[in-house]
Amino acid sequence: MFLRPWRMGRAFISCLTFLALMTVPTWAVEKIRLQVDDYQIDAELAPHSHRITAQAKVRFTALEELNVATFELHNALRVTKVLDANNKPLSAERVTQDSTVRVQLPAGLPKNATTTLTFVYEGVLDSADDSPVQGLKLASVDDDTSYLLYAGRWFPVSGYGINRFTATMNITVPAHMQVIGSGHETSGGTSTSKKPASGGLPTRTYTFVWDKPSFPGTIVAGSFQEFKSDEAGLDLHVFLKPNHQSLGAIYAETAVKEFTYYITLYGTPPSTTLRVVEIPDDTVPSAWAPEIAAIASRAVTEKVNYRLLADTIAHQWWGVSVSPDSRDDWWLSDGFARYSEARYIEQAAGPNGLEEAIKDMSVGALAYDSVPLSSVGKLDMFSPEFESLVTDKGAMILHMLRWVMGDQKYDLTMRTFATKYAGKSASLDDFTELAEKNYGEKLTWFFSQWLDSTGAPEFKAKYTIYRLGNTKCKSPDRCPGFRVVGQISQDLDLFRMPVNLKIDTDGKTEEKRIEVVGTNSAFNVETFGKPRRIVIDPGDQVLKNSPEIRLRASIQRGQGLVQQGDLAGALAEFNKALDANKNSSLARYRIAEVFFMQHNYQAAANAYRESLDGDGDPRWTEVWCHIQLGKIFDVTGQRDRAVGQYREALQTNDNTQGALDEARKYLQKPFEQQKNSSGSANGL
């Protein structure tokens, strides 16, 4: 159903990469005027001709008096007929600027009245040309795999992501294909279709019934190897392409662990059936719907991308079960799923794993911190700004709330919220009310600070160390020997948060929780051993700025601009990152990628070498710099030098994102620059 157009699997530095060059449209936030209650959809797919022929019967209720009913529909789909509840034809206007169909209601529809419209439509779905999100392929009918994502608006949609609905979908495909959807599944017998769409080939019809209001709008069809598991009472099905069939068992095992872990946190979701399905690389990195967790092929590797899978599975609670009441509340889905992923990382990889996840989320939270999260609905929901705020800042808010409330009260709040609003939409006010009830105090200061404001503190400490005489101490070996008196400063006047202070000494490390209020907050800590170092917020419990965060945020903004085709803007952001750290291997690497895209091979080669001479962070830049240099030498007709670079790549023994496989591939056959190739290091 929903998707992460700006995110994909993190197997190494947890840095989610980008998919396709896209220019994102700006959509105004329109008032939802009708509530779709139910869909009855009959669709036939003809993969060889990339065609879909469909009929959608839509039952909806007017939220205000209506003369026109407006639905979003993929621009590649041509509406041939619209019928009213009495099967009488109605006039429909196609508006391609916003991918909508506007149906005139001659008699009007009073507020709270319900009626039915039937749409008959067809079209070819084989590219991103007419996608609702320009440049991003969200619906495709193809011989290998067909996918119809809810975000692709392959059926008439109203209130995307807000309007919960039930659905019965009858999907007819060539008999050799299997269909995955949401809900109770039945499969009809094989028959030979006489309809043009199928070309007279044997077909099979799959029926999916989802009778709990949610978002059952995603269909995937193709030839898969299916793996099943009923461990821990879970009805799990993993559908992988034949070339990945050896990975079925380990993906099933991982999915069971993640699903059952979330049950311990949040309780049972609407269904204990889960279908993990592989989708092509030409679309989004992941998508979800009731009972569906879809991940792109590039994330299906021997080293399981358990982070991406954990995030996608978490949406069975945050999205399928509890959904946002408005676009301003979107973080209640994506942010909650993101932090659920972090919780699973903590459980699977320990505190160090959580620490890395928190760093990633902090970068995303501050990369586009110019709009308060409470007003995020004003942004285009497919933009990197929207994605970073609802996902990463939303997750960081939960992380900080857990620190403020304590684990016991926080976990109680999350579990109660998941139970109370199961099968419903929820707002920030709903969540705040429940959190305050469990905390026992008002949290207005917390939510106002992190949702209604922008920015984050950058902490600094000034202090003086005093040696204590202990003249009155009867047991000197048990008495403090030093006192540290100082203050924590930061530049946000209205800031208020508890912050942990860690003092490393010759002996025992001392920690103290300090209430930081305003720009300066005093502290006084006694220690046994002589203080050697003071660290503010060592566990990253608070969203804060730092040179490292600014560097990575600039790089993330630059990557977003690359995906929108603004290479000049991207270079400017990458150079800002170099202002923070001139030795940043990652910033140099990103600059090299842009030059490679422009076929400016000498500048690219120089930047890759500068990356190799940099700080080596992250480690994967080394292996991929050698591979990219090898490609440059191949393109410029210097095969011997190219082979040398590929061999150096192999010597790193770093297989991040299949780097070693890539090097071996080009040792066997020279790299050739493809038309419009981005030169991206395998999506790093």
Side-chain angles (χ1 to χ4, degrees), residues 77-146:
L77 301 176
R78 181 174 64 91
V79 177
T80 58
K81 189 188 303 181
V82 179
L83 305 174
D84 67 10
N86 297 315
N87 288 325
K88 293 182 179 180
L90 296 174
S91 174
E93 176 189 9
R94 186 49 135 142
V95 183
T96 58
Q97 288 87 343
D98 58 1
S99 302
T100 61
V101 176
R102 300 177 183 179
V103 182
Q104 296 291 329
L105 304 176
L109 189 65
K111 182 179 179 180
N112 297 326
T114 298
T115 192
T116 300
L117 294 180
T118 300
F119 294 79
V120 181
Y121 56 98
E122 62 180 6
V124 172
L125 297 172
D126 65 346
S127 73
D129 292 347
D130 296 305
S131 173
V133 183
Q134 187 177 345
L136 188 58
K137 195 174 179 183
L138 301 172
S140 176
V141 180
D142 192 72
D143 283 319
D144 181 69
T145 304
S146 296

Side-chain angles (χ1 to χ4, degrees), residues 569-580:
L571 284 174
E573 286 294 343
F574 296 147
N575 280 307
K576 285 182 184 178
L578 289 177
D579 289 340

Side-chain angles (χ1 to χ4, degrees), residues 119-400:
F119 294 79
V120 181
Y121 56 98
E122 62 180 6
V124 172
L125 297 172
D126 65 346
S127 73
D129 292 347
D130 296 305
S131 173
V133 183
Q134 187 177 345
L136 188 58
K137 195 174 179 183
L138 301 172
S140 176
V141 180
D142 192 72
D143 283 319
D144 181 69
T145 304
S146 296
Y147 54 86
L148 304 170
L149 305 182
Y150 170 40
R153 277 73 160 182
W154 64 276
F155 59 92
V157 170
S158 176
Y160 173 76
I162 304 298
N163 185 165
R164 302 174 69 93
F165 55 87
T166 58
T168 298
M169 297 189 179
N170 302 301
I171 310 296
T172 301
V173 296
H176 71 279
M177 300 184 82
Q178 187 172 7
V179 181
I180 295 97
S182 301
H184 176 66
E185 172 192 342
T186 60
S187 175
T190 303
S191 63
T192 300
S193 173
K194 298 180 181 179
K195 298 180 180 179
S198 65
L201 297 175
T203 62
R204 183 180 296 273
T205 298
Y206 291 79
T207 298
F208 298 92
V209 179
W210 185 264
D211 57 7
K212 306 168 187 176
S214 188
F215 306 97
T218 289
I219 294 292
V220 182
S223 298
F224 300 98
Q225 293 291 325
E226 182 179 1
F227 302 84
K228 300 180 181 179
S229 173
D230 59 2
E231 186 178 347
L234 175 62
D235 179 24
L236 176 69
H237 304 256
V238 177
F239 299 92
L240 301 181
K241 302 303 291 182
N243 62 314
H244 287 145
Q245 60 180 312
S246 62
L247 304 178
I250 190 170
Y251 269 82
E253 179 184 355
T254 303
V256 168
K257 288 179 180 178
E258 293 175 343
F259 197 95
T260 53
Y261 174 71
Y262 290 146
I263 288 177
T264 65
L265 287 182
Y266 310 128
T268 306
S271 172
T272 54
T273 295
L274 181 66
R275 302 175 177 99
V276 177
V277 58
E278 179 180 345
I279 55 177
D281 284 335
D282 63 356
T283 185
V284 292
S286 65
W288 55 268
E291 300 183 340
I292 294 177
I295 55 176
S297 290
R298 61 180 161 272
V300 183
T301 60
E302 290 185 7
K303 185 178 181 181
V304 178
N305 192 332
Y306 75 96
R307 294 187 60 172
L308 179 65
L309 187 59
D311 186 298
T312 311
I313 289 175
H315 279 290
Q316 296 302 308
W317 285 263
W318 311 118
V320 170
S321 182
V322 182
S323 59
D325 190 56
S326 71
R327 279 173 55 173
D328 284 337
D329 299 312
W330 205 271
W331 72 282
L332 297 179
S333 173
D334 284 3
F336 279 41
R338 179 79 153 106
Y339 194 58
S340 297
E341 170 198 337
R343 293 294 301 273
Y344 183 76
I345 293 170
E346 181 181 23
Q347 192 269 344
N352 290 338
L354 177 64
E355 181 181 351
E356 287 303 310
I358 296 306
K359 287 180 180 178
D360 293 337
M361 294 189 306
S362 296
V363 172
L366 295 176
Y368 301 97
D369 192 31
S370 59
V371 175
L373 186 55
S374 59
S375 301
V376 76
K378 296 182 176 69
L379 299 174
D380 166 34
M381 66 190 306
F382 291 96
S383 68
E385 294 92 339
F386 183 92
E387 169 67 18
S388 291
L389 287 170
V390 300
T391 301
D392 290 318
K393 190 166 185 180
M396 280 304 299
I397 286 173
L398 290 186
H399 182 62
M400 292 186 288

